[in-house]
Amino acid sequence: MKPKHTKHIFTLSGSGSMTALAICFFLLAGHAWATIPENDIAMLDRSAKAFTSVVRKAGPAVVYISVEKTSKTFNGRSQLDMFNDPFFEHFFGKKFDRFRQEPSPFKQRGAGSGFIISKSGLILTNNHVVDDASTIRVRLADKREFTASVVGTDPQSDVALIKIQGRNLPVLSLGDSNKLEVGEWVIAIGSPFELSQSVTVGVVSAKGRSHIGINDYENFIQTDAAINPGNSGGPLLNIYGKVIGINTAIFSRNGGSMGIGFAIPINMAKSVERQLRSNGKVTRGWLGLAIQDMNEDLAQSFGVSKAEGILVAEVTKGSPAAKAGIRTGDILLSLNRQRVIDVTDLRNRIAMTTPGSTITLRIVREGRTKDIRVTIAEQPTRFKQATRMRSRKHNSSFLENMGLTLQELTPELARKFGYRKGQGVLITQVVPNSPADSVGIRAGQLIEEVNRIKVHSVSDLKKAVKKGRNPNHILLRIRAGEYSKYVVLGIKK
C-alpha cells in the first residue's frame, strides 16, 4: 500500500490547493529569511548593487547590430531551381522557358551585438555577424541609430572591427583576459533574439578551450552566463566592468542556451583589432613546424621523464625554424620563458607574434635542454593540405601483427604520390580495430622512421624494429602527404 501522506501531497498540486501551498511556502521562506543574519543580507545587497552598477556603466556602450545581405539564393537554393525542375518541364514543355528569368536578389537579414571601444566610433564584434553584409545598422542603448562601415575582418579568429560616426559615444574599457581565473563572476550583455540590452550573469567555467571547430584559432573562455542567438559580438565583462571576452558561440542541442557558452579572449581580440585598425587585415607569424602534443608513450619513446611540451614532427625546408636549427624530434618546452601548454597554445602565440620578431624557444634534444632563437616570418597565404594515398601489398612481422600491410616505395609509386624514391615504406592496408588503426594510422601513409632511424625499404624497417629498446613498443614517424607525425605502436600490458 502507498503511504497515506502520498495522496495528501498530490492533492496539493490541484488548482484548489495552490493558495494553501503558496501560503506554506512563504511562511517557511519567511521564517528561513528571518533567521539570516543582517550582515549576510547586507553582503547580498552589496553584491546585487555591484552587478547593477557594472551594467549601468557598461550597458550604454553595448550596441545592437542589424545587417542586410543581398543574395541570389535563399538558404543556398536559387529561385531558378524550381523552374529547372523536370516536373514543370514535363507538364509545360519548352513553352515554360519564357517564365525563366534572372532571379531578383534576396534580402537576407541578420542581427548580433557589439561594443564601442573608442570615442571615434570603433566597434568590436564577430566576423560572422557582419560577414558579406551590404548594409550594417547600429543602434545604441539611447535609441540613436547609425550606418556602420567595415574597417576590417578576420575570419580565422572571428573578430571584426566596424565604425560609426557619432558624438558623445559611450566606451567600454578592455581588460586583461590572461588574469582571468576559473570561477570568477562574469556578465554578458547583448541582444539575444533581438532583445537589446539583455543581461545574464555566470562564472568562468573554463579557459583555453580549443578543438571546438568554430574558428581556425581557438582559445575560448567557457562560461555558464546564458548566451543565445543574437549575443554574438557582445561583451563578456568582469566585475570591474572591463571587457574580458567577445561572446561568440554556444553549445546547444535546441538552439538556446544550455549553460555552455564560448567567448574569444579579449587579449587575442586586442591583437587582431590593432592590425585591423592599422592595416585592415591581419598578418600572422609563421614558424614552419608540424607539431603534436606529447603523451606518455611518446615521452617514454623519446627518453623524457614526463609528457610535457610539444613534439616537433616535421620542419619545413627554408622555414624560420629550419634556419634556426630546430630538428625533427625536438621537444618544445617554452616560448620566451613561458611554458607552452599544448599545440593550440603554441600555434596561437606564434600566429599573434609580429613577423620579424625574434623569439626564444627552449627545447629538449637527446635528453639535453637548450635555448634557440628564431626570427618569425609572415605566414604564407596558403598552406598545402595533406594528400591521401593508396596502394598495394607487402608484409612485415611485428607491424603485420599490429595490423599493417606494407609496400616498397617504387619509383612509379613515388612519382604517383609525390614522394622521392627511397623516402620510406608505404602503408597499403590497416586492419580495422587493430592497434595501428587505434592510433590513427591510415592506408596510403608513409613510414619514414622507426625508433628514430630513417628507413628507405622494408629491409631497413625490419632492422630498425629489432634495434628498439622495448620489443613490444616501437616509435614510428608517419607521413601523410605534406605533413608527418610521431606515433607509438605496441602492446599495452
Side-chain angles (χ1 to χ4, degrees):
M1 291 180 62
K2 294 182 179 179
K4 291 182 180 180
H5 69 269
T6 303
K7 183 177 180 180
H8 178 65
I9 290 173
F10 279 106
T11 58
L12 288 177
S13 65
S15 59
S17 302
M18 287 302 296
T19 303
L21 180 61
I23 290 171
C24 290
F25 173 79
F26 284 117
L27 284 173
L28 290 171
H31 174 73
W33 187 260
T35 63
I36 298 176
E38 288 187 7
N39 288 342
D40 292 345
I41 295 174
M43 181 180 69
L44 290 173
D45 181 57
R46 288 195 299 272
S47 297
K49 287 180 178 177
F51 283 122
T52 58
S53 176
V54 170
V55 173
R56 191 181 302 115
K57 292 178 181 178
V62 181
V63 303
Y64 169 74
I65 299 174
S66 61
V67 301
E68 191 173 87
K69 303 179 183 182
T70 302
S71 175
K72 292 184 179 181
T73 64
F74 180 73
N75 289 335
R77 183 173 181 180
S78 169
Q79 295 179 55
L80 283 175
D81 287 352
M82 181 186 73
F83 295 105
N84 288 327
D85 195 308
F87 173 83
F88 286 94
E89 196 159 306
H90 174 72
F91 282 97
F92 295 99
K94 296 296 183 182
K95 293 181 180 180
F96 194 67
D97 288 344
R98 63 193 179 93
F99 293 101
R100 292 177 179 157
Q101 57 184 352
E102 185 66 23
S104 301
F106 283 107
K107 297 292 185 181
Q108 297 181 325
R109 292 178 175 83
S113 307
F115 51 97
I116 306 171
I117 61 170
S118 75
K119 290 289 185 181
S120 63
L122 290 172
I123 296 171
L124 272 175
T125 185
N126 282 141
N127 173 73
H128 75 259
V129 171
V130 299
D131 187 36
D132 293 328
S134 53
T135 304
I136 303 172
R137 295 287 296 171
V138 171
R139 186 172 72 231
L140 274 60
D142 61 12
K143 306 303 180 184
R144 284 186 290 170
E145 292 196 13
F146 303 88
T147 298
S149 59
V150 175
V151 177
T153 62
D154 181 42
Q156 290 181 290
S157 66
D158 199 19
V159 174
L161 187 66
I162 63 176
K163 187 175 183 178
I164 59 174
Q165 300 292 337
R167 295 181 178 179
N168 301 318
L169 297 174
V171 173
L172 274 178
S173 298
L174 306 184
D176 184 354
S177 54
N178 288 343
K179 294 181 179 179
L180 198 63
E181 297 289 342
V182 174
E184 279 191 40
W185 285 106
V186 287
I187 304 167
I189 307 179
S191 305
F193 303 107
E194 302 189 20
L195 300 171
S196 298
Q197 296 294 304
S198 291
V199 177
T200 55
V201 175
V203 298
V204 175
S205 304
K207 294 170 58 180
R209 290 295 194 207
S210 59
H211 307 296
I212 307 297
I214 301 169
N215 302 336
D216 289 343
Y217 291 93
E218 298 182 334
N219 185 29
F220 290 118
I221 300 165
Q222 181 185 327
T223 179
D224 67 349
I227 296 173
N228 284 292
N231 271 110
S232 290
L236 189 68
L237 307 166
N238 61 18
I239 58 173
Y240 303 102
K242 293 183 180 292
V243 182
I244 47 85
I246 302 176
N247 299 321
T248 297
I250 59 173
F251 173 83
S252 177
R253 298 186 187 278
N254 57 19
S257 174
M258 295 182 66
I260 301 177
F262 300 104
I264 299 168
I266 200 61
N267 286 16
M268 177 184 284
K270 284 178 188 177
S271 176
V272 172
E273 183 270 330
R274 283 193 295 268
Q275 293 198 56
L276 293 179
R277 189 192 301 213
S278 302
N279 310 315
K281 65 174 185 178
V282 176
T283 302
R284 289 186 163 83
W286 181 58
L287 192 55
L289 294 177
I291 52 180
Q292 62 186 101
D293 291 322
M294 290 288 289
N295 58 37
E296 290 185 6
D297 288 338
L298 287 171
Q300 180 182 351
S301 298
F302 280 85
V304 293
S305 58
K306 54 184 177 179
E308 65 175 356
I310 296 168
L311 181 61
V312 177
E314 186 163 358
V315 181
T316 303
K317 289 184 179 180
S319 67
K323 294 175 181 176
I326 295 177
R327 301 176 189 171
T328 300
D330 286 348
I331 300 170
L332 308 181
L333 298 179
S334 68
L335 190 162
N336 291 338
R337 298 179 181 272
Q338 291 187 349
R339 185 174 70 92
V340 290
I341 301 169
D342 54 24
V343 166
T344 300
D345 176 46
L346 179 63
R347 185 169 177 258
N348 288 342
R349 286 162 65 180
I350 293 297
M352 291 295 108
T353 301
T354 305
S357 302
T358 299
I359 62 168
T360 300
L361 293 173
R362 174 155 291 182
I363 71 165
V364 174
R365 178 184 296 165
E366 303 293 347
R368 296 183 179 181
T369 302
K370 64 183 297 185
D371 290 338
I372 296 180
R373 291 173 62 81
V374 187
T375 301
I376 298 299
E378 182 177 340
Q379 186 183 98
T381 53
R382 291 184 181 180
F383 285 101
K384 295 181 180 179
Q385 299 298 317
T387 57
R388 295 191 66 181
M389 306 176 300
R390 296 179 183 175
S391 200
R392 304 176 200 161
K393 280 192 175 182
H394 204 16
N395 295 327
S396 176
S397 57
F398 180 82
L399 293 180
E400 182 182 8
N401 293 334
M402 295 294 102
L404 293 178
T405 301
L406 307 175
Q407 161 95 22
E408 296 281 2
L409 186 62
T410 64
E412 294 77 16
L413 288 173
R415 284 195 298 270
K416 181 177 180 180
F417 297 115
Y419 291 109
R420 304 184 310 275
K421 178 184 176 182
Q423 188 173 350
V425 177
L426 202 60
I427 299 167
T428 59
Q429 187 177 355
V430 180
V431 177
N433 301 317
S434 65
D437 181 49
S438 69
V439 296
I441 298 177
R442 298 292 177 260
Q445 295 178 343
L446 199 69
I447 298 176
E448 290 188 313
E449 292 181 9
V450 176
N451 294 328
R452 306 201 67 187
I453 301 170
K454 289 186 178 181
V455 296
H456 308 287
S457 64
V458 173
S459 176
D460 289 346
L461 183 145
K462 291 179 179 179
K463 294 176 183 177
V465 169
K466 293 179 180 179
K467 292 181 179 179
R469 289 177 291 184
N470 186 338
N472 294 319
H473 287 78
I474 62 172
L475 176 68
L476 301 178
R477 184 180 174 204
I478 303 292
R479 173 173 296 279
E482 295 293 329
Y483 299 98
S484 66
K485 67 176 182 178
Y486 286 99
V487 298
V488 175
L489 192 58
I491 303 169
K492 292 190 176 181
K493 298 181 180 180

